[in-house]
Amino acid sequence: MQANNSPAIGRVVSVRGSVVDIAFADRLPPIYSLLHAQAGTIVIEVLAQLDAGQVRGIALTPTQGLARGMVVENTGGPLRAPVGSGVLGRMFDVFGNAIDRLGPLVDCQWRSVHNTPPPLARRSTQSEIFVTGIKLIDVLVPLERGGKAGLFGGAGVGKTVLLTEMIHNMIGHHNGVSIFCGIGERCREGEELYRDMKQAGVLQNMVMLFGQMNEPPGSRFRVGHAALTMAEYFRDDEQRDVLLLIDNIFRFIQAGSEISGLMGQMPSRLGYQPTMGTELSGLEERIANTDKGAITSIQAVYVPADDFTDPAAVHTFSHLSASVVLSRKRASEGLFPAIDPLQSSSRMATPGIVGERHYQIAQAVRRTLAQYAQLKDIIAMLGLEQLSPEDRNVVARTRRLERFLTQPFFTTEQFTGMAGKLVSLDDALDGCERILNDEFKDYPENAFYMIGTVDEAKAKAKITAVI
């Protein structure tokens, strides 16, 4: 072991929760260097150089047992993540340790998690649609290949279910790599997802990383960077398309807020860290479409108290090409996926990208839904009978559309008993167009609930009639 006055060796000066101050006799370690204490069981990342002899770091592991005067060793480098074909089908923590009990990693190399976004000259300017197989999303809120989509919603409205359904649906559409990054979420969800992906037979094209909610804020803050390092390898080195699913980006901001407070920074609006915009941009701008491949990201965004003016939600909105807003009201009505079609939006929903027919159908659907929203107050006060025949037609049309845009999911089969459905974009558009043209005005509303293509409504209506 090196002598204590060596530049690679320091001593703990103070420990305050996850914040550790360390004194070095000579040269200070650079920002983002990893330090090890207690034979590597405690890992600290340097975030500030306080003066000529001290650094302040945040622990990425619990600090139990750490005490003043303990020896700390500088590893000489930043946090690294494993990359290569050997990481496929495996589950990792923030340090790149496999946590699936499948033995050591083979055929991989280690890279720093601190990378810069691709330069503008390498970015692709071509806009392409990313089909998910979920009717409501593909018709009204089309996602962008190489873009970022956000799933906004409060607790318990179905963000995680929607994410896992998209992974299932990528089996048919998507020949690239899926990376699931769990930031500050429940341990149960990680275990269930791993089991589901194994049963679905897609684990060989997936990588999972978890920084669970019981882990220190430093670990939760860095797991997103580790996931992006792996995604960049598959995009740039193997030239494959990557689907990056992040659950939940709000927990990344929350972890940054905890670190900021622990480091003694002055809080900004509503107690968030003053550097929130910079930290979020540093992560989001690395998700890009280049000349070699694309990283398409779908991110769950928890909205505190369903308040969309919260700084965390506002900052996240600015990075997204599509915003899928989940509604507690629709969830309470049993309309799943509980997406609010009027609040959700996409930059891709223009005639130049999706085509004239798709654009016109989507606009007609939105118009019909908006008319129904305006009529709801009149119906509540005066009743449906007081509406004009034309308005009553709008109500009937909308209620059929709302039910047609529900869909049984593969990931919820065990709970609902309904087989999951994957619907092509053409079938979804065809169904919306035929309902708007009043082709099914004599069919009961419940015939359209939880079906795939619109033709299934005919068979369902016959069964209902027999019963």
Side-chain angles (χ1 to χ4, degrees):
M1 197 170 172
Q2 302 173 46
N4 282 359
N5 61 358
S6 160
I9 295 294
R11 286 193 178 274
V12 175
V13 176
S14 71
V15 184
R16 295 187 308 284
S18 291
V19 174
V20 187
D21 289 357
I22 301 129
F24 284 84
D26 194 358
R27 186 165 50 87
L28 293 183
I31 300 292
Y32 295 152
S33 294
L34 276 199
L35 313 177
H36 283 174
Q38 281 193 337
T41 57
I42 295 175
V43 182
I44 301 158
E45 185 179 61
V46 176
L47 290 186
Q49 296 186 346
L50 300 179
D51 53 35
Q54 284 190 36
V55 296
R56 179 168 290 171
I58 194 91
L60 305 185
T61 54
T63 51
Q64 283 97 329
L66 197 62
R68 291 174 65 179
M70 274 190 176
V71 170
V72 176
E73 188 179 350
N74 178 13
T75 62
L79 180 65
R80 297 178 191 276
V83 297
S85 55
V87 302
L88 290 171
R90 304 299 300 268
M91 189 157 63
F92 298 95
D93 64 10
V94 69
F95 304 108
N97 302 320
I99 54 174
D100 51 12
R101 301 180 188 170
L102 293 179
L105 286 177
V106 290
D107 191 24
C108 71
Q109 50 184 292
W110 293 77
R111 289 187 185 171
S112 167
V113 302
H114 304 283
N115 296 323
T116 53
L120 292 176
R122 273 194 51 217
R123 291 181 183 238
S124 171
T125 54
Q126 191 178 358
S127 293
E128 292 177 53
I129 292 296
F130 188 79
V131 179
T132 63
I134 298 168
K135 288 181 285 193
L136 206 158
I137 291 177
D138 289 342
V139 173
L140 297 177
V141 202
L143 306 186
E144 179 184 9
R145 177 182 172 268
K148 296 178 273 283
L151 297 179
F152 289 83
V157 291
K159 296 183 297 296
T160 303
V161 170
L162 204 50
L163 276 187
T164 51
E165 183 68 10
M166 284 184 190
I167 298 174
H168 266 287
N169 292 359
M170 290 317 130
I171 307 164
H173 291 292
H174 193 75
N175 298 320
V177 179
S178 292
I179 297 179
F180 184 92
C181 176
I183 305 178
E185 287 298 300
R186 303 163 190 81
C187 301
R188 168 183 59 77
E189 290 174 350
E191 190 274 333
E192 282 178 2
L193 182 68
Y194 183 78
R195 202 161 8 97
D196 289 346
M197 296 303 107
K198 201 169 186 176
Q199 285 175 354
V202 292
L203 203 58
Q204 69 275 11
N205 276 326
M206 271 196 81
V207 187
M208 295 186 191
L209 290 96
F210 291 99
Q212 298 300 147
M213 56 167 53
N214 62 314
E215 293 183 24
S219 173
R220 285 180 271 130
F221 189 68
R222 285 288 174 233
V223 73
H225 298 96
L228 263 167
T229 303
M230 292 184 182
E232 286 164 344
Y233 165 81
F234 288 112
R235 179 191 65 193
D236 299 335
D237 292 47
E238 295 200 3
Q239 300 190 4
R240 295 170 76 175
D241 279 3
V242 182
L243 176 66
L244 174 65
L245 300 123
I246 300 177
D247 187 13
N248 186 305
I249 202 73
F250 172 78
R251 307 287 178 206
F252 168 78
I253 294 170
Q254 199 176 40
S257 178
E258 286 182 48
I259 291 169
S260 173
L262 290 166
M263 294 293 289
Q265 292 178 342
M266 185 73 75
S268 179
R269 188 168 156 236
L270 292 185
Y272 285 106
Q273 64 271 41
T275 52
M276 175 167 59
T278 308
E279 289 167 2
L280 190 61
S281 300
L283 187 78
E284 296 278 11
E285 286 301 299
R286 287 169 65 179
I287 301 167
N289 196 351
T290 69
D291 48 3
K292 291 184 176 178
I295 300 175
T296 302
S297 176
I298 300 168
Q299 307 168 7
V301 187
Y302 168 68
V303 180
D306 292 345
D307 176 17
F308 285 88
T309 63
D310 188 90
V314 170
H315 276 269
T316 308
F317 262 122
S318 63
H319 290 280
L320 304 173
S321 55
S323 302
V324 180
V325 178
L326 295 166
S327 154
R328 199 174 299 282
K329 188 172 182 298
R330 287 178 71 84
S332 67
E333 291 170 3
L335 299 172
F336 292 103
I339 297 166
D340 187 325
L342 297 178
Q343 272 197 291
S344 303
S345 62
S346 170
R347 277 192 318 161
M348 307 300 285
T350 61
I353 297 171
V354 297
E356 191 63 39
R357 177 174 177 258
H358 183 163
Y359 176 73
Q360 293 300 344
I361 291 171
Q363 288 299 97
V365 169
R366 280 183 185 278
R367 246 191 329 271
T368 308
L369 293 171
Q371 281 175 288
Y372 180 51
Q374 289 173 339
L375 292 170
K376 272 183 177 175
D377 289 341
I378 300 170
I379 297 166
M381 287 187 290
L382 303 174
L384 193 62
E385 297 75 26
Q386 300 302 315
L387 296 180
S388 68
E390 193 179 323
D391 284 344
R392 262 181 275 175
N393 277 343
V394 168
V395 171
R397 208 175 294 141
T398 308
R399 290 178 67 84
R400 286 181 179 84
L401 271 175
E402 281 185 333
R403 279 147 187 76
F404 174 64
L405 292 173
T406 61
Q407 192 166 337
F409 281 177
F410 292 98
T411 46
T412 57
E413 278 179 14
Q414 57 185 341
F415 307 113
T416 62
M418 286 187 257
K421 298 279 169 67
L422 186 77
V423 183
S424 71
L425 177 58
D426 287 340
D427 284 340
L429 288 171
D430 181 54
C432 290
E433 190 174 40
R434 288 165 71 183
I435 292 170
L436 287 167
N437 292 336
D438 287 339
E439 189 179 318
F440 299 94
K441 66 179 180 182
D442 298 325
Y443 283 72
E445 289 169 9
N446 62 357
F448 298 88
Y449 183 66
M450 287 293 171
I451 59 172
T453 62
V454 77
D455 290 326
E456 291 176 34
K458 294 179 180 177
K460 197 170 177 182
K462 282 177 188 172
I463 293 166
T464 310
V466 169
I467 294 167

